[in-house]
Amino acid sequence: MTALAKPARSEIKLPDRPKLRDVLGPGLITGASDDDPSGIATYSQVGAQFGYNLGWTLVLTYPLMCAIQLISAQIGRITGLGLAGNMARHYPRSLLRGLVGLLVIANVINIGADLGAMAAALKLLIGGPALVYVAAFALVTAVLEIFVGYARYASVLRWLTLSLFAYVGTVFVVNVPWQTVARSLVLPHITLSKDYVTAVVAVFGTTISPYLFFWQCGEEVEDEKEDPKAQPLKQAPQQAPKQIARIQLDTLVGMAFSNLIALFIVLTTAATLHAHGITDIQTSSQAAEALRPLAGDFAFMVFALGIIGTGIGPARTGRQRSLCHRRGPPLAGRPDATP
């Protein structure tokens, strides 16, 4: 018998390996969008006022975020509809309009706050009129939202999440007492004062935001529509094992990234502002400005650039995309619309 010839190396077909961009998408971008300029302001206030004593909240919110975001993402991927589209099928239209109306009001206010924070941060860096920067940021993001296709824009957003590493850099520039941090995370000093309880509620409210539910669910629907081979899982259950596993990994990584960055912001302001008696911070740009004399120009510049990067990238887009669907008529005319 003649021995079987071994196939040439070039003829061997290796199994397809999922690319990173195919695994980390809606969950990562949604998690990054949670650390928006208004969120940075909240975390800065907490760090400045209470030092390291509230870092434990960002450990506790992680499993809560993962649970609700996993549910939201799975709803979108299984049904092929956003949260509003699913609610329209099961609840009265009046209830749906009321809930979405509240979301619109909250998102518009937050978008305004984000634009103002970005403009203030840019003014700190280069000077100039803040109102002009507000208009410019609004125009640029609106144009990108309207004229750039979803697949390309999602890819850009994925890269813009790297801007959050600015806050990782600031932690290693300032002097953080890591033993104190570890002790406060494991054995926090909890009080029932009005300010302390208010700060805890603020962290939970900032970290677990309703627009995140709508957005990650809607992004799963968008991703499914962009892939000609993909279908809602209720119509193609054979795709479920792979897709559910992807959603789980994407969400766990995205929410961990979000909370870790938030914790770094708290640590940065605690090690600088709180340590030097600066406890009254109202905005993220104030936190950046206060860092300059305490931590140097580099920490100030990195912190300010992070505000602009998070605002112009996933954060503002997340709030905008949770207000409307990428294509088609408004929500009122589409029971299957995906906010």
Side-chain angles (χ1 to χ4, degrees):
M1 295 180 63
T2 56
L4 295 176
K6 292 184 178 181
R9 182 180 294 271
S10 60
E11 297 176 357
I12 299 176
K13 185 177 181 180
L14 298 176
D16 293 334
R17 295 182 180 179
K19 296 180 181 178
L20 188 61
R21 63 180 173 81
D22 296 329
V23 176
L24 299 181
L28 177 65
I29 298 172
T30 302
S33 76
D34 198 27
D35 295 321
D36 63 336
S38 56
I40 293 169
T42 299
Y43 302 134
S44 299
Q45 291 168 355
V46 166
Q49 187 172 2
F50 296 98
Y52 309 107
N53 289 331
L54 279 175
W56 63 270
T57 56
L58 294 166
V59 177
L60 183 58
T61 54
Y62 175 65
L64 303 179
M65 285 184 72
C66 288
I68 187 63
Q69 294 302 138
L70 278 170
I71 292 170
S72 301
Q74 290 173 3
I75 287 174
R77 191 63 183 84
I78 291 171
T79 65
L81 300 174
L83 289 184
N86 278 283
M87 287 191 290
R89 290 189 164 190
H90 301 284
Y91 297 99
R93 179 70 66 171
S94 58
L95 176 62
L96 175 62
R97 288 199 178 102
L99 292 174
V100 174
L102 292 174
L103 180 70
V104 169
I105 293 171
N107 282 7
V108 168
I109 293 172
N110 273 291
I111 288 173
D114 288 348
L115 286 171
M118 293 157 59
L122 187 58
K123 182 178 179 180
L124 287 177
L125 291 170
I126 64 174
L131 288 178
V132 172
Y133 298 150
V134 169
F137 282 132
L139 179 62
V140 168
T141 52
V143 168
L144 291 175
E145 277 285 300
I146 295 170
F147 295 106
V148 177
Y150 171 77
R152 178 175 296 180
Y153 201 37
S155 177
V156 172
L157 292 180
R158 195 178 290 110
W159 283 105
L160 281 174
T161 60
L162 295 176
S163 63
L164 288 171
F165 279 103
Y167 300 109
V168 178
T170 57
V171 165
F172 294 102
V173 171
V174 301
N175 184 23
V176 176
W178 292 105
Q179 289 185 349
T180 303
V181 172
R183 185 168 58 251
S184 66
L185 293 178
V186 178
L187 298 171
H189 177 66
I190 298 175
T191 65
L192 295 180
S193 67
K194 179 181 177 182
D195 290 341
Y196 191 93
V197 173
T198 300
V200 171
V201 172
V203 171
F204 273 75
T206 300
T207 307
I208 306 174
S209 301
Y211 86 94
L212 300 177
F213 315 158
F214 283 83
W215 191 24
Q216 189 168 352
C217 182
E219 272 211 86
E220 287 294 338
V221 177
E222 297 274 12
D223 280 356
E224 179 262 310
K225 289 180 178 179
E226 290 289 334
D227 186 354
K229 298 179 181 179
Q231 291 179 287
L233 298 184
K234 67 177 184 180
Q235 300 174 12
Q238 71 277 5
Q239 298 178 6
K242 180 180 178 180
Q243 292 301 318
I244 295 299
R246 175 193 58 78
I247 289 172
Q248 184 173 11
L249 177 61
D250 185 24
T251 303
L252 293 177
V253 172
M255 299 310 115
F257 181 64
S258 173
N259 280 32
L260 189 62
I261 296 300
L263 179 60
F264 282 164
I265 295 170
V266 172
L267 296 183
T268 298
T269 52
T272 53
L273 307 184
H274 181 80
H276 289 81
I278 302 174
T279 59
D280 186 15
I281 294 295
Q282 300 300 321
T283 66
S284 54
S285 58
Q286 282 182 6
E289 190 172 19
L291 276 176
R292 191 202 296 260
L294 302 175
D297 289 338
F298 178 75
F300 155 76
M301 183 181 67
V302 170
F303 200 94
L305 287 173
I307 295 171
I308 298 170
T310 58
I312 203 169
R316 286 215 46 238
T317 307
R319 297 194 191 279
Q320 289 175 326
R321 294 193 74 85
S322 64
L323 291 176
C324 60
H325 191 257
R326 179 172 60 95
R327 52 177 175 262
L331 175 64
R334 286 174 55 92
D336 62 337
T338 308

